[in-house]
Amino acid sequence: DDMARQHGMSRRSLDRRFSEHIGKPAGEFLHDLRLNYARLLILETDYSIADISERCGFSKQSGLSRAIREAEGCSPRE
């Protein structure tokens, strides 16, 4: 919603433009960016899962755990 407002368009218009150029809506694109950053931090750092979830913009550790489980089929610790 913030990005759409900053660019003077509706969220639907922003999603449509993202989909045309990137292949997915803005929210899905941002979620994928956050998830990829979390994967990198899990593999390359000693940060706790709670710290990684906060750094990547997940509101709770359980949100990151759920996203990883859905994408990878395992928990972040695995």
Side-chain angles (χ1 to χ4, degrees), residues 1-72:
D1 288 335
D2 289 340
M3 279 195 320
R5 265 194 303 279
Q6 289 173 0
H7 295 283
M9 63 180 72
S10 70
R11 182 176 180 170
R12 175 112 170 94
S13 293
L14 179 69
D15 280 342
R16 194 174 354 198
R17 288 189 183 186
F18 252 81
S19 293
E20 287 172 5
H21 295 284
I22 308 230
K24 57 181 82 173
E28 188 177 330
F29 177 77
L30 291 174
H31 175 78
D32 290 350
L33 281 178
R34 291 174 28 222
L35 190 55
N36 286 335
Y37 185 46
R39 283 185 187 113
L40 176 71
L41 293 177
I42 289 168
L43 294 172
E44 301 292 330
T45 71
D46 291 330
Y47 297 142
S48 70
I49 300 302
D51 192 32
I52 291 171
S53 66
E54 185 178 323
R55 288 171 182 263
C56 295
F58 289 89
S59 60
K60 296 180 181 178
Q61 180 178 336
S62 61
L64 173 59
S65 294
R66 186 178 335 100
I68 294 282
R69 192 176 321 280
E70 288 173 4
E72 305 294 332

